Amino acid sequence: MTQPLNEDQEQFRAVVDRFLTDKSPTTQVRRLMETDRGYDAGVWKQLSQELGLAGTHLPEIHGGFGFGPVELGIVAEQMGRHLYCGPWFSSSVMAGSMLMLGADEQGRESCLPGIASGESIATLVLDDLTAPARVGQHIHADLLSEGATLSGHAGIVTDAHVADLLIVVAGTGTGRGLFSVAPDTAGVEITPLQSIDPTRKLCRVNFEAAAAIPLGELSEAAMEAAWDYMSMALAFELIGSAQVLFDSTIDYMKMRVQFGRTIASFQALKHKSADLLLELELAKATVRQSAHELANGGQEPWLCSMAKAMAADACMSVARSAIQLRGGIGFTWENDTHLWFKRAKSSEVFLGSPYEHRERVMQMMERSVA
Amino acid sequence: MTQPLNEDQEQFRAVVDRFLTDKSPTTQVRRLMETDRGYDAGVWKQLSQELGLAGTHLPEIHGGFGFGPVELGIVAEQMGRHLYCGPWFSSSVMAGSMLMLGADEQGRESCLPGIASGESIATLVLDDLTAPARVGQHIHADLLSEGATLSGHAGIVTDAHVADLLIVVAGTGTGRGLFSVAPDTAGVEITPLQSIDPTRKLCRVNFEAAAAIPLGELSEAAMEAAWDYMSMALAFELIGSAQVLFDSTIDYMKMRVQFGRTIASFQALKHKSADLLLELELAKATVRQSAHELANGGQEPWLCSMAKAMAADACMSVARSAIQLRGGIGFTWENDTHLWFKRAKSSEVFLGSPYEHRERVMQMMERSVA
Amino acid sequence: MNGQEREAAIIAEVTEWISANWNPDLSLQAWREILVDGGWAAPAWPEACHGRGYTEAEASVVSRVFRQHQVVGAASSGPRGLAAETILAHGSDDQKKRYLRKILTGEHAWCQLFSEPGSGSDLAGSSTKAEFIDGRWIINGQKVWNTSAHHADYGILLARSDWDLPKHQGLTYFLIDMHQPGVEVRPLRQMNGHASFNEVFMTDAVVAAEDMIGGIGNGWAVAATTLSVERRGFSRDRSVQSFAGLSGRVYDEYQEEQRIANEPYTWYPQRAGRVDLILSRARETGAINDPHVRQEIVRLLSMRKGADLAAAGAAAMKKAGTNEVIPAGSIAKLAASEIARKAAHVHTMISGPEAMLAGSDSALEGTIAEILISVPAISIAGGTDEIQKNIISERVLDMPREPRFDTGPFRDIARNTADT
Amino acid sequence: MNGQEREAAIIAEVTEWISANWNPDLSLQAWREILVDGGWAAPAWPEACHGRGYTEAEASVVSRVFRQHQVVGAASSGPRGLAAETILAHGSDDQKKRYLRKILTGEHAWCQLFSEPGSGSDLAGSSTKAEFIDGRWIINGQKVWNTSAHHADYGILLARSDWDLPKHQGLTYFLIDMHQPGVEVRPLRQMNGHASFNEVFMTDAVVAAEDMIGGIGNGWAVAATTLSVERRGFSRDRSVQSFAGLSGRVYDEYQEEQRIANEPYTWYPQRAGRVDLILSRARETGAINDPHVRQEIVRLLSMRKGADLAAAGAAAMKKAGTNEVIPAGSIAKLAASEIARKAAHVHTMISGPEAMLAGSDSALEGTIAEILISVPAISIAGGTDEIQKNIISERVLDMPREPRFDTGPFRDIARNTADT
């Protein structure tokens, strides 16, 4: 059963909300999304060092806060709410979770403290963004007596252009391994790409016999667990975005007058709003529960995938309606709605489309019966 | 481009409509659906002998009218409109089309005249009702020096309990063949089944080395063509049903008062009605065009399957709303809405669900490119 | 006494009383007379009305002890609970005295006479006539959707006593004796073949002056109590203790009472779509291997899971004392409609042509067929989806109410002429 | 003369005229002066207004001959056609004389100044002020969604001349000179990065008394003409002859004219969802082998096919003289919205993570990305889906109109205060 936040968690949420309200208003989002780097180093420093958000869920022994998925979700929800521009998701959620769950002791010790403190910005290089089982087919590792070299490419990697550290999943012939690579290593090529959502920067990453440090073999279980963490956090981002869009749209309808009455008084729009509320509430409940499931290792391991699929669908429904119900103004650049719409559209397919995640749910359900 | 009906066709439509308005009011439908046989022999005689509807699309040399798919569609649409209870679809559309398209000369000559005149009631025994490619795997024919024997079963056969003639598709080891069997032959067992739609009677048919007359090998092309004919006619039935439900629902809403105003004045119901109209109009246009496609052998052979899928979806949408928009009264036995709802539900999966037909469309499109 | 001590005291007292009084070989009626006399039939009711003035929490402790000892409780099935709570809230001392005890003992069954053919979503549009003539009320009109009316001894009735006042002000609430010549109950068959409801025709039916409740013209306020009790019931667990396999006259008679009470509801699981059967059916037919069907199944299971979690979340929030802004009932009801519709669609897809069959010739002995022709009810009964969406948009989202066309004297308001 | 003879006569006459006059080496302007003088620029217009009073059918014969001989016709791009038809229907002789010729020759470009930030769906709610002071109209207010306003010489303007009359009665229609200090045109960027529209700010802008059209307070009737011309245009083919590869000054200048005119519309194919690309994209990515994607593709193609056939059917019915009860435009527009949304969904599914990319880094040089962020426009521009559903339910299905809250003096009607 979904728990309401306890007092500490509520306070934590409020702190993050206040911080981002202050540091990530849409004026700032609009400024940063037009830049190449895409984030503000000062805000990143405050966020990671003053608030410790880069290490929310990372182990205390590696410099993190040692919080669990619930608190990670709290942060992610606010990130989606305020459309934070910066490497938080890439570094803390993706690279951080993968290291925490998949790296060997030495790998965790060498990489996580920097990530947790925010001093080192990392990103996770996955050569497939659709499903965990497909990762590791386009980047291959040659293991040497000491170290390894990586060859291959990843078509879409978030924030690689500002990363101090690339965490890479690569095929090893016998399985998959986790590796770290410094971006300035010979044989590493990072090419910024244009993205549909300018608040999340994307790159292509090529390796040509690039020297890498092995961080251990990556078990299927660890890969799946990391995918759950990332999916869950992305689902929280999505419901954060969806909620702010939903609320602002209802507010707009109550203010906007046509034909001598507020458009909120038109029954067709009232019913549409009720439909959206329903879809959003069901998604929110599932997303919140997925964090508890992940924290407690419950009976429904598929909840993270279910949550990502529902959150993406709900957020896209709300985003589409947020434009439609505003009419022409909602389609303008000047209006902020499109910022969230684009984040939603991009997040819909990032780390597995709803379709991929539903298929994953089914597979997990079948395994649990077998 | 869809043609409006010409004067002759319009007149034909009006004749059929008048006849069924007179002979198949819902009082009659309700009476017949409670009987075991399920139809009125006198009306069947008039329908087939006075109006010639049992042979609308069957060749003149075999006693039919020699009309094409467009006129067949006109009849079928009225059948769906008036929920005609009787073996018309089984005998004329299913057995008739299959014989016309798939039987050898002798088979056509021996079977079609009786079907076209309505003196002989036939039905088509298919051992699979999902897709033409799957038919013929559960009934097997052993070809003898003279004649053949059939063994196996068909789980659902319409109107077999009142048939004078069973037309059967059976596997022959090397392919498929068409056969005729008299229902009283030794080794034939016909078991009436309860159906969700009591206006369309269903049976199970078992063969145990039952003597059969071979009517020729059945080519894949003939099987596919017959499926197109049947699907198209069923699609016309469905839009006939959908239209009568749609119109009666709009009328009801204009009359029904709640909160001091007709419920037709509530914007949410107006918009819902517009949505339904759109879905229905698109389905109708496609169904009508599918008859022309079938008549003229055009460039879009998939239109019959597209039409069946769209008509079934549209009819179910309208039927669901026809109940919902009437409120409680729409769920009562006394109200006629459920009669069409059940026909729609049954027709949705009869001769291929929308899902099967969409897959068939895709396969046909792929073949047309290759 | 703190909470724990209080609970222990209650447990001790009720346990002692049970061991002194419980006898499964009595008749059900006789046992319940003892139960009422002992004050344990409805501990949350006031002491003046057979109760003990317990809080809901305290009363639930009593229920728990009863269950532990497998002791049969007061009669509670059907609309009698609605009648009891309404009488408790609005009834005169005389009415409480005359009706409440026999509700608890099960001697009297009740039915609810609110909906009319001409006023469904718009309950306050009732046009059943109540005229005060020669010191008694004469009732004329027709009611509909009256579950268990054919078993009922009394009905709670909403009727119009004044046609010149505005709609909500001209209604009066009555307790009506169902066993009289002016009241005719006819079963109303549904499209799925069941007849869970009745129509009730009242022709010069009589209600004594002392059976009006809440005052003339105050019917809508009284009905609001009944409706809120009904709504609370929607989210409650319908399951009652079956005492299956236990012997004793009380148990036997209780089970017969339950059987009759549950008769109208046998198809209710089907109208909700039977999501519980989806996976096993898909395995059975092999449809589970189809990638498209898999998508549809997970969509359905996701909605179901989300709705369960949202309901549990709302309950937890309420418990935690957070201000509840969501009318959980309306959202749960709307979700239930969508889930049921989706489930019917997925069941159809899974069954294929077999979905044409019904009854014993079809899958699961007709259960699947019954789903397909019962699901349309869920989005209508107990308030249509459209009404729920009005409630959600107006009460949760605070969007403007619909403009009103039914102000002024009821006589002048547009309404249904025939039984449209 | 029967129809065929009449057609042959027209063909002969126009062919002869072309061979005597057509010269691709003239300037575009010079050629069109000849064209107008010859009476062939707009043969369907009245003889008094540069035309020949031809029927639409006759005029289309002329067009055909022009196309056959690859002769450039009168200027027709952008909103100038709306202006011309409106002036023809409501203008004074003087207005026709001053404006129509230069519309045909292309010397003057026009724009439409109807929508306002505060009145979008509700065009008649215009609150741009028109005051008659010292013999001229002084205009103050803001317009929006003004395609090509930055190239326009004149605008057709709807403004409020009387605030004490009911909404539709206080409007007046004007022809306004865009080249004056009181008119400021600002490009309005859309979420897809294009700037197809403008905002137009009028601050004490001046309209001469003789540039009011249709009379004071008659603006809504005049605007209705403009809107019906616009609606007819929606179902018309946008494609114009390109004369690509032909040499000659007229051709060169014509192509430049077209380039500028089409600039705002480059993304229009994308906002419609590009159903034409679906199958090839699905083959490219291999998604076509996925059973679930196949279903979604066929659903989409079915909607597209149904909409095309329904439109063709409506046209055929009209031609056959059947009473057309269906406002084919509204249904086609609503279908277009659903198709575009569905197409965006299917394109997303086909592209997978690649849908995160844009511009030259993405599929088809950014076309797919442009679809995804342009589709939201189609269900808004030219009348929202919601407005179309009102039209369909009220005009086709004859359901009651919405209750009105905007009667009485305009001054007293609730309206948007800021630019909400």
Side-chain angles (χ1 to χ4, degrees), chain A residues 28-35 198-199 201 333 338-339:
Chain A
Q28 172 80 339
V29 171
R30 285 174 179 273
R31 192 180 67 76
L32 290 173
M33 76 186 194
E34 303 288 0
T35 65
T199 70
K201 301 294 181 191
W333 186 267
H338 71 98
L339 304 177

Side-chain angles (χ1 to χ4, degrees), chain B residues 18 20 92 103 127 164 170 199 202 211 251 269 274 296 318 337 361:
Chain B
R18 260 199 311 274
L20 291 172
S92 180
D127 58 7
D164 304 306
T199 70
L202 307 178
D251 288 347
L269 305 196
N296 307 322
V318 172
T337 308
V361 168

Side-chain angles (χ1 to χ4, degrees), chain A residues 194 256-257 324 331 342 355, chain D residues 117 191 290 361 379 416 420:
Chain A
Q194 298 168 69
R256 173 78 176 171
V257 175
Q324 180 68 25
F331 193 66
K342 289 169 183 172
Y355 172 51
Chain D
M191 64 174 272
D290 185 302
D361 292 318
S379 43
N416 297 297
T420 49

Side-chain angles (χ1 to χ4, degrees), chain B residues 334-355:
Chain B
E334 201 176 45
N335 187 276
D336 288 335
T337 308
H338 72 97
L339 305 177
W340 279 277
F341 178 92
K342 289 170 183 171
R343 177 74 74 100
K345 193 74 213 172
S346 170
S347 300
E348 184 187 4
V349 290
F350 183 37
L351 296 171
S353 66
Y355 172 52

Side-chain angles (χ1 to χ4, degrees), chain A residues 48-62:
Chain A
S48 50
Q49 289 176 11
E50 290 175 21
L51 277 75
L53 300 187
T56 309
H57 68 304
L58 300 178
E60 287 178 84
I61 50 161
H62 300 308

Side-chain angles (χ1 to χ4, degrees), chain D residues 167-280:
Chain D
K167 183 169 159 177
H168 293 83
Q169 295 167 33
L171 295 168
T172 301
Y173 198 115
F174 303 97
L175 311 175
I176 186 171
D177 184 347
M178 296 292 286
H179 302 300
Q180 58 169 307
V183 174
E184 188 195 352
V185 178
R186 291 188 209 153
L188 181 60
R189 197 177 178 201
Q190 300 130 224
M191 64 174 272
N192 61 0
H194 293 277
S196 311
F197 310 107
N198 300 282
E199 296 176 292
V200 175
F201 296 83
M202 290 165 292
T203 313
D204 292 336
V206 175
V207 173
E210 59 269 29
D211 281 336
M212 174 182 74
I213 178 169
I216 294 184
N218 200 30
W220 187 244
V222 181
T225 298
T226 314
L227 293 172
S228 87
V229 176
E230 194 175 16
R231 262 196 300 274
R232 264 189 283 140
F234 179 79
S235 42
R236 271 199 206 146
D237 192 1
R238 261 187 204 284
S239 68
V240 287
Q241 209 164 359
S242 78
F243 303 111
L246 297 173
S247 68
R249 183 170 168 191
V250 171
Y251 292 131
D252 295 344
E253 290 184 16
Y254 174 80
Q255 269 151 31
E256 177 60 12
E257 181 188 81
Q258 286 303 306
R259 198 191 56 72
I260 292 169
N262 290 331
E263 228 167 27
Y265 304 109
T266 53
W267 57 282
Y268 273 39
Q270 276 66 268
R271 80 173 183 178
R274 296 305 298 270
V275 177
D276 58 313
L277 297 175
I278 289 282
L279 280 174
S280 61

